[in-house]
Amino acid sequence: TAAALELASQAAQAVFARLRRQGVPKYVLPVLAGLCVAAVATAGFQEVVYRGFENVNLVLRQVDGEVRPAGAPAEGGANQLGHLLGLLVSKVTLTAICRGSGQVGGLFAPALFMGVSIGGLFGRGLRDYAWSWPLALGGIHAFSVPATYAVVGMAASLGAICGVPLTAVVLLLELAGGQSYGVVLPTVAAVGVAVFVEDVLTRSG
């Protein structure tokens, strides 16, 4: 997600720079970005609108199956995964557009949202399509619940996007509240891989 955000930000900055060269006033650019956010939100992805961390908690509940996205059927499956993928792509794109337009905002909350979306996408995919495979081999519980992958994704995305891998790991421990330290090693591995991949891709780009 970090590399995708960087590439999207560069593309957005190039588009807005071209608009400025064509005479579009600078104060219009944030308005255009806001209209993009409104359009995406009204198209069925209202979770992308920042409301503290309520939207992150909502996606976590969707990943866990506690609530379902608006307009999605109760059975989830591909529709649930499609919604999570849409949230991920929308958030990366809109964050890049808003940054490129000159709007004031940080990356902490967007990084958490991107992480919960991509981690939830992976975890929910395992839950819906691969959960029964190890069980059929002798009742082996090989996978964790989808929300665990979502939380690990949050840490990995935060570490890579904001460049704070240690803080990301510590934050996950705080979120776990000392109840489950089994996610520490997977989190360290995920954060390390995310930071390494982001570094390699951005340097090569």
Side-chain angles (χ1 to χ4, degrees):
T1 54
L5 178 60
E6 180 63 28
L7 293 175
S9 297
Q10 293 174 4
Q13 289 169 2
V15 170
F16 284 121
R18 183 175 180 180
L19 290 176
R20 289 283 292 131
R21 289 194 298 270
Q22 292 177 350
V24 177
K26 187 175 182 180
Y27 62 83
V28 173
L29 304 184
V31 177
L32 294 176
L35 291 175
C36 291
V37 174
V40 171
T42 55
F45 299 104
Q46 60 267 29
E47 296 94 334
V48 300
V49 179
Y50 179 71
R51 299 189 300 272
F53 293 101
E54 179 184 344
N55 48 354
V56 173
N57 292 330
L58 176 59
V59 175
L60 275 173
R61 293 169 64 196
Q62 291 175 357
V63 168
D64 236 8
E66 184 179 343
V67 297
R68 61 188 179 92
E75 62 269 17
N79 296 283
Q80 181 83 24
L81 297 179
H83 186 75
L84 288 170
L85 179 60
L87 289 178
L88 175 61
V89 174
S90 298
K91 194 63 175 180
V92 171
T93 304
L94 292 176
T95 301
I97 290 174
C98 291
R99 291 180 68 200
S101 72
Q103 287 191 10
V104 178
L107 288 175
F108 181 79
L112 293 181
F113 189 93
M114 294 173 202
V116 75
S117 299
I118 193 171
L121 181 65
F122 181 75
R124 191 72 196 189
L126 290 178
R127 173 79 180 195
D128 291 344
Y129 298 105
W131 193 270
S132 60
W133 297 352
L135 294 178
L137 299 176
I140 302 174
H141 293 272
F143 305 126
S144 183
V145 296
T148 301
Y149 296 97
V151 174
V152 172
M154 290 169 62
S157 183
L158 176 65
I161 291 176
C162 297
V164 288
L166 182 58
T167 300
V169 175
V170 173
L171 177 63
L172 181 91
L173 295 179
E174 291 292 328
L175 290 175
Q179 300 298 316
S180 176
Y181 290 105
V183 297
V184 174
L185 289 180
T187 300
V188 172
V191 171
V193 170
V195 172
F196 174 76
V197 170
E198 188 271 341
D199 184 59
V200 169
L201 291 180
T202 52
R203 276 192 295 133
S204 62

PDB file of all heavy atoms in Angstrom, residues 130-156:
ATOM      1  N   ALA A 130     -10.629 -20.646   2.043  1.00  0.00           N
ATOM      2  CA  ALA A 130      -9.571 -21.606   2.389  1.00  0.00           C
ATOM      3  C   ALA A 130      -9.700 -22.175   3.790  1.00  0.00           C
ATOM      4  O   ALA A 130      -8.896 -23.012   4.194  1.00  0.00           O
ATOM      5  CB  ALA A 130      -8.187 -20.934   2.237  1.00  0.00           C
ATOM      6  N   TRP A 131     -10.703 -21.741   4.555  1.00  0.00           N
ATOM      7  CA  TRP A 131     -10.839 -22.152   5.953  1.00  0.00           C
ATOM      8  C   TRP A 131     -10.997 -23.660   6.086  1.00  0.00           C
ATOM      9  O   TRP A 131     -10.483 -24.276   7.030  1.00  0.00           O
ATOM     10  CB  TRP A 131     -12.039 -21.428   6.568  1.00  0.00           C
ATOM     11  CG  TRP A 131     -12.137 -21.510   8.061  1.00  0.00           C
ATOM     12  CD1 TRP A 131     -12.779 -22.460   8.790  1.00  0.00           C
ATOM     13  CD2 TRP A 131     -11.563 -20.614   9.013  1.00  0.00           C
ATOM     14  NE1 TRP A 131     -12.656 -22.207  10.134  1.00  0.00           N
ATOM     15  CE2 TRP A 131     -11.909 -21.072  10.293  1.00  0.00           C
ATOM     16  CE3 TRP A 131     -10.792 -19.456   8.899  1.00  0.00           C
ATOM     17  CZ2 TRP A 131     -11.524 -20.420  11.457  1.00  0.00           C
ATOM     18  CZ3 TRP A 131     -10.403 -18.810  10.053  1.00  0.00           C
ATOM     19  CH2 TRP A 131     -10.768 -19.287  11.316  1.00  0.00           C
ATOM     20  N   SER A 132     -11.719 -24.283   5.167  1.00  0.00           N
ATOM     21  CA  SER A 132     -12.043 -25.710   5.295  1.00  0.00           C
ATOM     22  C   SER A 132     -10.920 -26.625   4.859  1.00  0.00           C
ATOM     23  O   SER A 132     -10.938 -27.813   5.194  1.00  0.00           O
ATOM     24  CB  SER A 132     -13.298 -26.030   4.467  1.00  0.00           C
ATOM     25  OG  SER A 132     -13.074 -25.723   3.100  1.00  0.00           O
ATOM     26  N   TRP A 133      -9.925 -26.116   4.139  1.00  0.00           N
ATOM     27  CA  TRP A 133      -8.873 -26.993   3.629  1.00  0.00           C
ATOM     28  C   TRP A 133      -8.083 -27.683   4.736  1.00  0.00           C
ATOM     29  O   TRP A 133      -7.989 -28.908   4.745  1.00  0.00           O
ATOM     30  CB  TRP A 133      -7.918 -26.207   2.717  1.00  0.00           C
ATOM     31  CG  TRP A 133      -8.577 -25.667   1.486  1.00  0.00           C
ATOM     32  CD1 TRP A 133      -9.857 -25.929   1.052  1.00  0.00           C
ATOM     33  CD2 TRP A 133      -8.016 -24.766   0.539  1.00  0.00           C
ATOM     34  NE1 TRP A 133     -10.126 -25.239  -0.097  1.00  0.00           N
ATOM     35  CE2 TRP A 133      -9.020 -24.515  -0.452  1.00  0.00           C
ATOM     36  CE3 TRP A 133      -6.796 -24.145   0.399  1.00  0.00           C
ATOM     37  CZ2 TRP A 133      -8.799 -23.675  -1.541  1.00  0.00           C
ATOM     38  CZ3 TRP A 133      -6.577 -23.308  -0.676  1.00  0.00           C
ATOM     39  CH2 TRP A 133      -7.564 -23.081  -1.635  1.00  0.00           C
ATOM     40  N   PRO A 134      -7.489 -26.940   5.680  1.00  0.00           N
ATOM     41  CA  PRO A 134      -6.750 -27.635   6.742  1.00  0.00           C
ATOM     42  C   PRO A 134      -7.656 -28.445   7.661  1.00  0.00           C
ATOM     43  O   PRO A 134      -7.225 -29.453   8.220  1.00  0.00           O
ATOM     44  CB  PRO A 134      -6.041 -26.503   7.492  1.00  0.00           C
ATOM     45  CG  PRO A 134      -6.841 -25.294   7.208  1.00  0.00           C
ATOM     46  CD  PRO A 134      -7.389 -25.476   5.829  1.00  0.00           C
ATOM     47  N   LEU A 135      -8.912 -28.006   7.816  1.00  0.00           N
ATOM     48  CA  LEU A 135      -9.837 -28.773   8.650  1.00  0.00           C
ATOM     49  C   LEU A 135     -10.098 -30.140   8.053  1.00  0.00           C
ATOM     50  O   LEU A 135     -10.271 -31.129   8.768  1.00  0.00           O
ATOM     51  CB  LEU A 135     -11.154 -28.003   8.814  1.00  0.00           C
ATOM     52  CG  LEU A 135     -11.077 -26.689   9.593  1.00  0.00           C
ATOM     53  CD1 LEU A 135     -12.449 -26.020   9.620  1.00  0.00           C
ATOM     54  CD2 LEU A 135     -10.599 -26.924  11.014  1.00  0.00           C
ATOM     55  N   ALA A 136     -10.110 -30.212   6.728  1.00  0.00           N
ATOM     56  CA  ALA A 136     -10.344 -31.490   6.058  1.00  0.00           C
ATOM     57  C   ALA A 136      -9.161 -32.436   6.190  1.00  0.00           C
ATOM     58  O   ALA A 136      -9.298 -33.645   5.980  1.00  0.00           O
ATOM     59  CB  ALA A 136     -10.648 -31.251   4.578  1.00  0.00           C
ATOM     60  N   LEU A 137      -8.012 -31.890   6.565  1.00  0.00           N
ATOM     61  CA  LEU A 137      -6.815 -32.727   6.708  1.00  0.00           C
ATOM     62  C   LEU A 137      -6.624 -33.243   8.125  1.00  0.00           C
ATOM     63  O   LEU A 137      -5.549 -33.723   8.461  1.00  0.00           O
ATOM     64  CB  LEU A 137      -5.573 -31.924   6.286  1.00  0.00           C
ATOM     65  CG  LEU A 137      -5.547 -31.437   4.836  1.00  0.00           C
ATOM     66  CD1 LEU A 137      -4.310 -30.587   4.587  1.00  0.00           C
ATOM     67  CD2 LEU A 137      -5.566 -32.637   3.886  1.00  0.00           C
ATOM     68  N   GLY A 138      -7.648 -33.123   8.937  1.00  0.00           N
ATOM     69  CA  GLY A 138      -7.544 -33.661  10.287  1.00  0.00           C
ATOM     70  C   GLY A 138      -7.881 -32.661  11.365  1.00  0.00           C
ATOM     71  O   GLY A 138      -7.324 -32.739  12.466  1.00  0.00           O
ATOM     72  N   GLY A 139      -8.747 -31.725  11.054  1.00  0.00           N
ATOM     73  CA  GLY A 139      -9.164 -30.761  12.067  1.00  0.00           C
ATOM     74  C   GLY A 139      -8.087 -29.773  12.453  1.00  0.00           C
ATOM     75  O   GLY A 139      -8.024 -29.331  13.603  1.00  0.00           O
ATOM     76  N   ILE A 140      -7.222 -29.427  11.508  1.00  0.00           N
ATOM     77  CA  ILE A 140      -6.138 -28.483  11.789  1.00  0.00           C
ATOM     78  C   ILE A 140      -6.665 -27.054  11.667  1.00  0.00           C
ATOM     79  O   ILE A 140      -7.208 -26.666  10.639  1.00  0.00           O
ATOM     80  CB  ILE A 140      -4.962 -28.684  10.820  1.00  0.00           C
ATOM     81  CG1 ILE A 140      -4.444 -30.122  10.905  1.00  0.00           C
ATOM     82  CG2 ILE A 140      -3.840 -27.685  11.107  1.00  0.00           C
ATOM     83  CD1 ILE A 140      -3.384 -30.446   9.867  1.00  0.00           C
ATOM     84  N   HIS A 141      -6.512 -26.284  12.705  1.00  0.00           N
ATOM     85  CA  HIS A 141      -6.914 -24.877  12.672  1.00  0.00           C
ATOM     86  C   HIS A 141      -5.683 -24.043  12.287  1.00  0.00           C
ATOM     87  O   HIS A 141      -4.909 -23.602  13.141  1.00  0.00           O
ATOM     88  CB  HIS A 141      -7.456 -24.444  14.031  1.00  0.00           C
ATOM     89  CG  HIS A 141      -8.758 -25.112  14.386  1.00  0.00           C
ATOM     90  ND1 HIS A 141      -9.973 -24.591  14.021  1.00  0.00           N
ATOM     91  CD2 HIS A 141      -9.016 -26.271  15.039  1.00  0.00           C
ATOM     92  CE1 HIS A 141     -10.942 -25.396  14.449  1.00  0.00           C
ATOM     93  NE2 HIS A 141     -10.387 -26.418  15.072  1.00  0.00           N
ATOM     94  N   ALA A 142      -5.509 -23.855  10.975  1.00  0.00           N
ATOM     95  CA  ALA A 142      -4.298 -23.216  10.473  1.00  0.00           C
ATOM     96  C   ALA A 142      -4.411 -21.700  10.396  1.00  0.00           C
ATOM     97  O   ALA A 142      -3.400 -21.011  10.362  1.00  0.00           O
ATOM     98  CB  ALA A 142      -3.958 -23.764   9.085  1.00  0.00           C
ATOM     99  N   PHE A 143      -5.635 -21.175  10.377  1.00  0.00           N
ATOM    100  CA  PHE A 143      -5.823 -19.756  10.175  1.00  0.00           C
ATOM    101  C   PHE A 143      -6.442 -19.108  11.407  1.00  0.00           C
ATOM    102  O   PHE A 143      -7.192 -19.736  12.148  1.00  0.00           O
ATOM    103  CB  PHE A 143      -6.730 -19.500   8.964  1.00  0.00           C
ATOM    104  CG  PHE A 143      -6.244 -20.150   7.701  1.00  0.00           C
ATOM    105  CD1 PHE A 143      -7.076 -20.997   6.973  1.00  0.00           C
ATOM    106  CD2 PHE A 143      -4.960 -19.937   7.238  1.00  0.00           C
ATOM    107  CE1 PHE A 143      -6.636 -21.610   5.820  1.00  0.00           C
ATOM    108  CE2 PHE A 143      -4.502 -20.543   6.079  1.00  0.00           C
ATOM    109  CZ  PHE A 143      -5.353 -21.380   5.367  1.00  0.00           C
ATOM    110  N   SER A 144      -6.125 -17.832  11.566  1.00  0.00           N
ATOM    111  CA  SER A 144      -6.741 -17.067  12.632  1.00  0.00           C
ATOM    112  C   SER A 144      -8.027 -16.426  12.114  1.00  0.00           C
ATOM    113  O   SER A 144      -8.381 -16.565  10.941  1.00  0.00           O
ATOM    114  CB  SER A 144      -5.773 -15.992  13.137  1.00  0.00           C
ATOM    115  OG  SER A 144      -6.327 -15.291  14.226  1.00  0.00           O
ATOM    116  N   VAL A 145      -8.741 -15.733  12.993  1.00  0.00           N
ATOM    117  CA  VAL A 145      -9.961 -15.050  12.574  1.00  0.00           C
ATOM    118  C   VAL A 145      -9.586 -13.875  11.673  1.00  0.00           C
ATOM    119  O   VAL A 145      -8.481 -13.324  11.774  1.00  0.00           O
ATOM    120  CB  VAL A 145     -10.764 -14.565  13.798  1.00  0.00           C
ATOM    121  CG1 VAL A 145     -11.241 -15.745  14.625  1.00  0.00           C
ATOM    122  CG2 VAL A 145      -9.933 -13.620  14.655  1.00  0.00           C
ATOM    123  N   PRO A 146     -10.483 -13.461  10.757  1.00  0.00           N
ATOM    124  CA  PRO A 146     -10.150 -12.396   9.802  1.00  0.00           C
ATOM    125  C   PRO A 146      -9.703 -11.093  10.452  1.00  0.00           C
ATOM    126  O   PRO A 146      -8.836 -10.399   9.917  1.00  0.00           O
ATOM    127  CB  PRO A 146     -11.460 -12.210   9.029  1.00  0.00           C
ATOM    128  CG  PRO A 146     -12.139 -13.535   9.114  1.00  0.00           C
ATOM    129  CD  PRO A 146     -11.792 -14.072  10.469  1.00  0.00           C
ATOM    130  N   ALA A 147     -10.286 -10.741  11.592  1.00  0.00           N
ATOM    131  CA  ALA A 147      -9.926  -9.471  12.231  1.00  0.00           C
ATOM    132  C   ALA A 147      -8.460  -9.434  12.637  1.00  0.00           C
ATOM    133  O   ALA A 147      -7.850  -8.361  12.677  1.00  0.00           O
ATOM    134  CB  ALA A 147     -10.818  -9.217  13.443  1.00  0.00           C
ATOM    135  N   THR A 148      -7.878 -10.585  12.944  1.00  0.00           N
ATOM    136  CA  THR A 148      -6.457 -10.621  13.301  1.00  0.00           C
ATOM    137  C   THR A 148      -5.597 -10.169  12.137  1.00  0.00           C
ATOM    138  O   THR A 148      -4.657  -9.377  12.301  1.00  0.00           O
ATOM    139  CB  THR A 148      -6.053 -12.039  13.732  1.00  0.00           C
ATOM    140  OG1 THR A 148      -6.837 -12.437  14.855  1.00  0.00           O
ATOM    141  CG2 THR A 148      -4.577 -12.088  14.101  1.00  0.00           C
ATOM    142  N   TYR A 149      -5.912 -10.654  10.937  1.00  0.00           N
ATOM    143  CA  TYR A 149      -5.164 -10.239   9.750  1.00  0.00           C
ATOM    144  C   TYR A 149      -5.366  -8.748   9.478  1.00  0.00           C
ATOM    145  O   TYR A 149      -4.447  -8.064   9.015  1.00  0.00           O
ATOM    146  CB  TYR A 149      -5.615 -11.063   8.544  1.00  0.00           C
ATOM    147  CG  TYR A 149      -5.323 -12.533   8.670  1.00  0.00           C
ATOM    148  CD1 TYR A 149      -6.303 -13.415   9.113  1.00  0.00           C
ATOM    149  CD2 TYR A 149      -4.074 -13.050   8.349  1.00  0.00           C
ATOM    150  CE1 TYR A 149      -6.041 -14.777   9.245  1.00  0.00           C
ATOM    151  CE2 TYR A 149      -3.802 -14.408   8.472  1.00  0.00           C
ATOM    152  CZ  TYR A 149      -4.791 -15.261   8.923  1.00  0.00           C
ATOM    153  OH  TYR A 149      -4.525 -16.606   9.052  1.00  0.00           O
ATOM    154  N   ALA A 150      -6.569  -8.256   9.769  1.00  0.00           N
ATOM    155  CA  ALA A 150      -6.840  -6.837   9.567  1.00  0.00           C
ATOM    156  C   ALA A 150      -5.981  -5.971  10.482  1.00  0.00           C
ATOM    157  O   ALA A 150      -5.425  -4.952  10.063  1.00  0.00           O
ATOM    158  CB  ALA A 150      -8.323  -6.554   9.802  1.00  0.00           C
ATOM    159  N   VAL A 151      -5.853  -6.382  11.746  1.00  0.00           N
ATOM    160  CA  VAL A 151      -5.055  -5.617  12.705  1.00  0.00           C
ATOM    161  C   VAL A 151      -3.570  -5.681  12.342  1.00  0.00           C
ATOM    162  O   VAL A 151      -2.855  -4.671  12.417  1.00  0.00           O
ATOM    163  CB  VAL A 151      -5.301  -6.132  14.139  1.00  0.00           C
ATOM    164  CG1 VAL A 151      -4.362  -5.453  15.123  1.00  0.00           C
ATOM    165  CG2 VAL A 151      -6.749  -5.890  14.552  1.00  0.00           C
ATOM    166  N   VAL A 152      -3.093  -6.849  11.934  1.00  0.00           N
ATOM    167  CA  VAL A 152      -1.701  -6.968  11.492  1.00  0.00           C
ATOM    168  C   VAL A 152      -1.472  -6.104  10.256  1.00  0.00           C
ATOM    169  O   VAL A 152      -0.425  -5.450  10.119  1.00  0.00           O
ATOM    170  CB  VAL A 152      -1.346  -8.443  11.208  1.00  0.00           C
ATOM    171  CG1 VAL A 152       0.028  -8.555  10.555  1.00  0.00           C
ATOM    172  CG2 VAL A 152      -1.374  -9.253  12.498  1.00  0.00           C
ATOM    173  N   GLY A 153      -2.458  -6.074   9.359  1.00  0.00           N
ATOM    174  CA  GLY A 153      -2.349  -5.214   8.182  1.00  0.00           C
ATOM    175  C   GLY A 153      -2.256  -3.747   8.546  1.00  0.00           C
ATOM    176  O   GLY A 153      -1.532  -2.976   7.910  1.00  0.00           O
ATOM    177  N   MET A 154      -2.982  -3.350   9.593  1.00  0.00           N
ATOM    178  CA  MET A 154      -2.900  -1.970  10.061  1.00  0.00           C
ATOM    179  C   MET A 154      -1.476  -1.625  10.483  1.00  0.00           C
ATOM    180  O   MET A 154      -0.944  -0.560  10.128  1.00  0.00           O
ATOM    181  CB  MET A 154      -3.858  -1.762  11.234  1.00  0.00           C
ATOM    182  CG  MET A 154      -5.322  -1.786  10.869  1.00  0.00           C
ATOM    183  SD  MET A 154      -6.405  -1.865  12.317  1.00  0.00           S
ATOM    184  CE  MET A 154      -5.994  -0.341  13.155  1.00  0.00           C
ATOM    185  N   ALA A 155      -0.857  -2.514  11.244  1.00  0.00           N
ATOM    186  CA  ALA A 155       0.506  -2.265  11.709  1.00  0.00           C
ATOM    187  C   ALA A 155       1.488  -2.212  10.547  1.00  0.00           C
ATOM    188  O   ALA A 155       2.358  -1.332  10.478  1.00  0.00           O
ATOM    189  CB  ALA A 155       0.927  -3.336  12.714  1.00  0.00           C
ATOM    190  N   ALA A 156       1.351  -3.147   9.603  1.00  0.00           N
ATOM    191  CA  ALA A 156       2.269  -3.195   8.464  1.00  0.00           C
ATOM    192  C   ALA A 156       2.127  -1.949   7.590  1.00  0.00           C
ATOM    193  O   ALA A 156       3.121  -1.357   7.158  1.00  0.00           O
ATOM    194  CB  ALA A 156       1.999  -4.453   7.638  1.00  0.00           C
TER     195      ALA A 156
END
